[in-house]
Amino acid sequence: MELFPADAYQAALAARFDAVAAPLRAWVPEGRLEHIGSSAVPGAVSKGDLDLCLIVPAAAHADTVACLQAQGYVEQQDTLRTPELCMLIAPAALPEHAVQVVAAGSEFEDFLQFRDALLADPELVHQYNAIKRAHASSGEAAYRAAKSDFIARVLQGQATPPLA
């Protein structure tokens, strides 16, 4: 898989976030929309995709998913789905992006915790980039597993081991 340096994609994805934020906020005014993923972190390498997190009251999670599906969003089938988390892919009529609909107060707010940890520590960004580059040619499953392991260690506050 191809990874892009931050200067090759971040400005375009920041503009894309701005373009898709307005309708999402109009459709789900009680939600808190956040830019997450590598495109939200200066200096992070990325596949060039835009990820958003829409945090809504837990009682409104199912209705929010249904509301966005009525706007053409489609549930991603090959990812974790719980009553507190649903990943939706934007309809073709909108700029490409994915939305993680998250119930407020759930463990899935860790999308924000991870983003904020990277924003606070450039060394973590460097380590994350190195892990992604080291596994980019290993296949999607290995790439995701390596990223997940790193993310879990960061969220647990564990120091990351040096790369070999």
Side-chain angles (χ1 to χ4, degrees):
M1 101 185 39
E2 184 175 10
L3 295 174
F4 301 100
D7 62 353
Y9 76 91
Q10 284 191 328
L13 290 189
R16 188 182 306 169
F17 174 81
D18 291 341
V20 301
L24 283 165
R25 288 182 175 129
W27 296 324
V28 188
E30 74 276 13
R32 187 173 103 221
L33 187 65
E34 298 276 350
H35 185 174
I36 59 169
S38 294
S39 62
V41 178
V45 299
S46 172
K47 296 182 292 183
D49 47 359
L50 176 62
D51 294 306
L52 293 79
C53 182
L54 181 59
I55 300 173
V56 298
H61 189 267
D63 288 343
T64 300
V65 170
C67 171
L68 294 180
Q69 287 174 322
Q71 301 301 325
Y73 283 80
V74 177
E75 186 174 335
Q76 180 70 32
Q77 296 300 311
D78 63 349
T79 191
L80 178 64
R81 170 69 159 101
T82 76
E84 298 173 319
L85 174 69
C86 181
M87 180 178 179
L88 298 171
I89 304 300
L94 293 177
E96 185 179 349
H97 63 281
V99 179
Q100 301 284 353
V101 181
V102 172
S106 73
E107 66 182 293
F108 302 108
E109 287 190 71
D110 61 4
F111 289 111
L112 303 178
Q113 295 165 356
F114 180 67
R115 179 206 58 198
D116 293 347
L118 292 180
L119 289 172
D121 188 346
E123 178 57 27
L124 287 178
V125 177
H126 175 74
Q127 292 175 15
Y128 192 42
N129 286 346
I131 287 170
K132 290 167 82 171
R133 286 182 180 119
H135 294 88
S137 62
S138 303
E140 190 72 29
Y143 176 80
R144 285 185 183 187
K147 283 182 23 178
S148 293
D149 181 58
F150 178 81
I151 292 167
R153 288 192 315 244
V154 169
L155 291 174
Q156 293 166 3
Q158 299 174 355
T160 56
L163 295 172

